[in-house]
Amino acid sequence: MKSWKELPIGAMIIEPGNSIEYNVAQWRVFRPVLDKNKCTKCGLCWIFCPEGAIVRNEDESYEVNLSFCKGCGICQRSCNVKAITMIKEEGL
Amino acid sequence: MKRVALSGNYAVAYAVKMADVDVIAAYPITPQTPIVEKLSEFVADGLLDAEYINVESEHSALSACIGSSLTGARTFTATSSQGLAYMHEVLFMASSLRTSIVMANVNRALSHPLNIWNDHSDAMAERDVGWIQFWVNSVQEAFDATIQAFKIAEEVLLPVMINLDGFILSHINEVLILPDEELVREFIPSKPLFNRLSPKLAYTIGVVGPPEYYYEMRYQIIDAIERSRKNINEVNREFGELFGRTYGNISTYMMEDADYALITMGAVSSTAKIVVDSLRKEGEKVGLISIRCFRPFPKNDIIEVFEDVKSIGVLDRALTPGGIGHPLFTEIVTTLYDSSKIIPVQSFVGGLGGRDITIDDFKQMYKIIKDVGLSGRRKPCIYIGLRE
Amino acid sequence: MLEIRWHGRGGQGVVTAAEILATAVVNEGKYAQAFAAFGPERRGAPVLAFTRINDNEILLRTQIYEPDIVVVLDKSLCNDNGVGRGLKKNGIAVVNTSSSPEVLLNIFPNASKIATVDATRIAIEKLGVPVTNTAILGALIRATRIVKIETIENVLKEKFKGVLAEKNFNAVKEAYERTLIFDRGGLL
């Protein structure tokens, strides 16, 4: 780890958006699977996801970036049309 | 250059105006109020192009100053007593976020009982917040220290607190040599400082410091304030070249051949000089040391002048109830421990809550210091002027 | 060094008077201090202010316990407020009262000179309010010649705006003319 001399002053984090380097895929027990036929593109899962792991595409459809999904299931709870199912990760 | 009669408060306000500050955020409190009143007047009259932020408390005032200073704006605030105490947690943040805030703290006692008058309790309770602390002896020094403070704070990225005694200096009108504004600008040019809150940089500021990082971040403050000693001396030298007045980290009076020394801080040092003069006439080899820079503490400067002193008295104007010694006494005794000299140090407390420290009080202190020097034994702290 | 103690009541401009005098002294090239013994500041409450005057820089920062001059802005303070306390032998007292100076000898037994003027009446005449600070300055200058009256005029012009400066200086001049002095022959 960096010494006090190497760390930026004032505890500043000087690489913007560096949380992108933090992969949490290993944290999951369940992963969300989105049924695009049921999805009404309401965007509630996108709003409620605490990790910003739901990605909104240009055609306003949604998908999950599994590198940042911890498998909490909030998206499933927030979905009114039950388009999201939490499925157990294999090989656990 | 103009020779005027001005109060300590107004001297600070003029210094801040001449320093061309960008942002002022403050909350009024006696005896500091005239500083920010005058500054708000300067801003309202268009004489000072600054943002004057009205806030609802001292806590908010200093918080606003932190944001401002991080954008690289030259930033000033002022407070006293309860106001400084209310800033307590934010004081730590101002130093550890490495801001360059300059604050005038007009020293006043803390409640209870409610007291608006002068002592040093407010600033002494904030010894350990990582701010540079200056203490001044006159209206002129209050002005000069304010100008110097901006340069030091911006060089070392640590906030600076200028302490001037409430009423004794803040509300006295006395002679002030007011320099030309151009000369002040030459000393501290109005250049934009490093903007750490720029969206272009997108730095994250005000983060969580887990055990893996917090310790290193705190040590950076130790390193910064230690290194500031060099900047303080250099700024003082440059100031002397331009304005013809210099101040050391300590000021000494008749110490060259002194046997008995008194150590003070703030405006009372001035009165003590008169007593030194009168005791010298009676043949007593007495001297005076006044601490100007309390943080970082000028240990080496003090050790140098202690060469042949037989005994020392330390006048504290604040209390450390239940401690081994009151704040300044403790610093001096620790200094001596590092100097390998064994000199008895007598502790005094006086002038709490605006109680006047008179000529006779100083004479009494010098007499006791001499007795301690002759006997080699110090007494428990002596509370000067306390009704027994 | 010359030390002056001012006695007045909140609202009479006691502190301002001490400051105007100090500024005038500084403007004439000497050194001065003006300060007050601040307390709970209430209109009508007794107020103490001080002025020190010296040829050289003033180091002393205590209150003034043995003044050379005492100035009283309100006669009622003479009854029971220790206005004469500590006045040096051969000192000077300047009092706002309609009575003659000799009447005050028992209050200022140390005084070599006592000056009186009806500053309240002058203030009401010239300013329209019973703010006696500038009028009493006229009497003080008459009794002591500490500063030139023109220097006071300039300080007033800096301190007050427009017609107010003029009115206040008229009060100074009027008091200067009407001051009665009882002189036992002293130092000043």
Side-chain angles (χ1 to χ4, degrees):
Chain A
M1 288 184 82
K2 285 179 175 172
S3 78
W4 66 267
K5 283 180 202 163
E6 295 159 334
L7 288 164
I9 60 157
M12 288 188 298
I13 295 171
I14 60 174
E15 310 92 26
N18 66 358
S19 59
I20 208 152
E21 292 159 22
Y22 213 78
N23 192 307
V24 298
Q26 300 299 312
W27 297 17
R28 272 196 312 269
V29 176
F30 295 96
R31 100 182 118 95
V33 175
L34 176 67
D35 182 345
K36 292 208 172 185
N37 294 324
K38 282 190 188 169
C39 176
T40 61
K41 299 180 182 177
C42 72
L44 278 177
C45 57
W46 178 70
I47 290 168
F48 280 104
C49 174
E51 297 297 314
I54 309 278
V55 182
R56 187 182 189 180
N57 296 317
E58 268 183 29
D59 64 352
E60 292 183 12
S61 69
Y62 293 87
E63 59 185 292
V64 183
N65 182 338
L66 289 170
S67 302
F68 303 111
C69 173
K70 300 191 288 188
C72 68
I74 287 175
C75 54
Q76 182 199 33
R77 293 286 202 95
S78 71
C79 183
N80 285 329
V81 295
K82 301 198 185 317
I84 297 172
T85 323
M86 297 305 288
I87 296 178
K88 192 161 180 294
E89 288 284 359
E90 285 168 24
L92 282 173
Chain B
M1 199 175 79
K2 249 166 69 184
R3 185 178 180 276
V4 296
L6 215 60
S7 71
N9 275 340
Y10 278 11
V12 170
Y14 274 92
V16 172
K17 173 183 173 284
M18 288 187 178
D20 193 25
V21 296
D22 302 308
V23 175
I24 301 155
Y27 193 79
I29 182 168
T30 301
Q32 165 278 127
T33 307
I35 298 180
V36 291
E37 262 177 9
K38 195 72 190 168
L39 283 170
S40 67
E41 212 176 286
F42 285 146
V43 174
D45 292 349
L47 298 169
L48 171 62
D49 181 17
E51 197 69 41
Y52 190 102
I53 307 176
N54 287 303
V55 288
E56 77 283 10
S57 74
E58 287 86 356
H59 192 282
S60 309
L62 191 56
S63 302
C65 285
I66 289 177
S68 152
S69 184
L70 287 173
T71 67
R74 188 167 280 168
T75 306
F76 176 82
T77 187
T79 194
S80 291
S81 178
Q82 313 295 137
L84 186 69
Y86 194 18
M87 284 179 179
H88 178 68
E89 61 169 352
V90 196
L91 289 167
F92 280 89
M93 297 179 207
S95 61
S96 41
L97 282 163
R98 305 298 297 276
T99 66
S100 303
I101 299 164
V102 171
M103 180 203 290
N105 178 44
V106 182
N107 302 110
R108 163 184 154 182
L110 275 135
S111 293
H112 180 259
L114 192 152
N115 182 295
I116 59 162
W117 294 270
N118 168 244
D119 69 27
H120 295 172
S121 321
D122 52 4
M124 284 299 108
E126 309 299 346
R127 284 173 306 172
D128 304 334
V129 294
W131 285 53
I132 291 170
Q133 268 198 22
F134 287 120
W135 291 77
V136 301
N137 290 343
S138 66
V139 168
Q140 185 73 56
E141 253 194 73
F143 180 91
D144 294 349
T146 307
I147 300 289
Q148 289 193 5
F150 283 106
K151 201 175 176 77
I152 295 164
E154 288 166 13
E155 280 181 13
V156 305
L157 296 180
L158 278 180
V160 179
M161 186 191 296
I162 296 130
N163 289 286
L164 62 149
D165 284 298
F167 297 111
I168 301 177
L169 288 181
S170 68
H171 283 65
I172 197 168
N173 276 55
E174 64 178 21
V175 174
L176 172 73
I177 308 293
L178 206 57
D180 293 334
E181 199 151 331
E182 294 76 44
L183 201 64
V184 176
R185 296 287 170 81
E186 191 188 325
F187 185 68
I188 34 170
S190 315
K191 57 178 183 218
L193 305 161
F194 181 34
N195 180 359
R196 281 170 273 171
L197 281 183
S198 158
K200 285 180 196 154
L201 294 173
Y203 285 0
T204 305
I205 287 172
V207 300
V208 175
E212 295 85 353
Y213 287 99
Y214 181 83
Y215 196 3
E216 277 70 23
M217 296 338 297
R218 295 303 301 169
Y219 186 79
Q220 284 185 350
I221 306 299
I222 298 287
D223 174 63
I225 203 158
E226 280 306 319
R227 281 190 291 112
S228 76
R229 294 176 191 275
K230 211 179 137 208
N231 301 71
I232 292 167
N233 290 337
E234 183 55 23
V235 165
N236 189 38
R237 194 192 57 75
E238 282 172 39
F239 186 87
E241 274 177 15
L242 219 54
F243 298 92
R245 293 180 297 274
T246 55
Y247 308 93
N249 296 321
I250 59 171
S251 70
T252 59
Y253 190 64
M254 298 291 206
M255 281 303 296
E256 292 76 20
D257 62 340
D259 287 336
Y260 311 109
L262 178 66
I263 302 179
T264 60
M265 213 156 63
V268 290
S269 314
S270 180
T271 305
K273 280 186 193 170
I274 295 171
V275 178
V276 169
D277 281 341
S278 89
L279 291 175
R280 282 269 168 176
K281 276 185 196 144
E282 293 168 21
E284 301 290 351
K285 287 166 88 176
V286 292
L288 178 79
I289 299 167
S290 171
I291 311 286
R292 174 170 177 267
C293 181
F294 183 74
R295 286 287 181 270
F297 198 75
K299 187 178 85 177
N300 294 337
D301 303 72
I302 293 172
I303 289 174
E304 255 175 53
V305 295
F306 277 169
E307 272 315 309
D308 301 306
V309 172
K310 295 195 173 90
S311 57
I312 300 162
V314 179
L315 173 61
D316 265 293
R317 305 201 50 215
L319 302 175
T320 301
I324 302 298
H326 301 298
L328 187 55
F329 172 82
T330 311
E331 299 281 339
I332 297 297
V333 172
T334 313
T335 298
L336 279 172
Y337 186 83
D338 262 7
S339 81
S340 78
K341 282 192 180 125
I342 299 167
I343 305 169
V345 186
Q346 178 59 48
S347 169
F348 297 105
V349 162
L352 292 191
R355 184 75 57 87
D356 209 10
I357 304 181
T358 63
I359 297 268
D360 286 343
D361 291 336
F362 280 111
K363 284 186 174 164
Q364 190 197 343
M365 282 185 255
Y366 273 113
K367 189 182 174 302
I368 295 166
I369 297 167
K370 189 181 174 182
D371 290 346
V372 167
L374 293 175
S375 70
R377 234 176 275 141
R378 70 179 178 91
K379 302 176 175 78
C381 177
I382 292 165
Y383 295 83
I384 296 290
L386 179 75
R387 289 189 299 275
E388 298 278 0
Chain C
M1 185 145 64
L2 203 60
E3 296 185 312
I4 304 171
R5 189 177 66 210
W6 305 76
H7 294 261
R9 293 191 180 280
Q12 291 172 338
V14 198
V15 181
T16 306
E19 285 177 5
I20 290 171
L21 180 64
T23 307
V25 169
V26 170
N27 289 357
E28 288 189 0
K30 288 194 196 177
Y31 289 82
Q33 285 178 343
F35 57 103
F38 285 91
E41 282 138 53
R42 287 176 302 164
R43 181 163 286 265
V47 172
L48 274 186
F50 307 93
T51 307
R52 274 197 183 98
I53 298 169
N54 203 13
D55 292 335
N56 305 309
E57 193 186 346
I58 302 165
L59 294 172
L60 193 61
R61 296 207 181 278
T62 62
Q63 291 191 13
I64 292 170
Y65 298 98
E66 293 179 352
D68 300 279
I69 301 167
V70 167
V71 185
V72 185
L73 277 76
D74 191 306
K75 188 177 61 178
S76 67
L77 290 164
C78 288
N79 301 334
D80 181 29
N81 285 281
V83 292
R85 193 189 305 137
L87 181 66
K88 277 194 192 124
K89 202 149 180 57
N90 293 324
I92 298 175
V94 180
V95 183
N96 167 22
T97 172
S98 54
S99 45
S100 66
E102 292 88 340
V103 177
L104 300 166
L105 270 168
N106 62 327
I107 294 167
F108 302 103
N110 274 352
S112 69
K113 198 191 263 188
I114 298 174
T116 59
V117 71
D118 192 348
T120 307
R121 204 177 120 196
I122 293 171
I124 291 169
E125 268 176 33
K126 301 291 172 189
L127 307 171
V129 283
V131 178
T132 50
N133 59 345
T134 41
I136 205 81
L137 266 169
L140 174 67
I141 293 163
R142 173 72 183 278
T144 62
R145 319 269 171 188
I146 298 172
V147 287
K148 293 196 199 88
I149 198 161
E150 302 83 58
T151 319
I152 294 286
E153 186 180 10
N154 290 332
V155 175
L156 291 174
K157 279 180 184 164
E158 275 176 36
K159 197 136 187 130
F160 302 108
K161 286 184 183 105
V163 72
L164 199 56
E166 199 182 310
K167 281 182 177 176
N168 273 290
F169 187 59
N170 287 340
V172 173
K173 277 193 295 189
E174 186 72 12
Y176 186 89
E177 295 302 329
R178 286 207 222 157
T179 300
L180 303 172
I181 291 175
F182 172 79
D183 196 343
R184 285 201 283 208
L187 288 175
L188 282 152

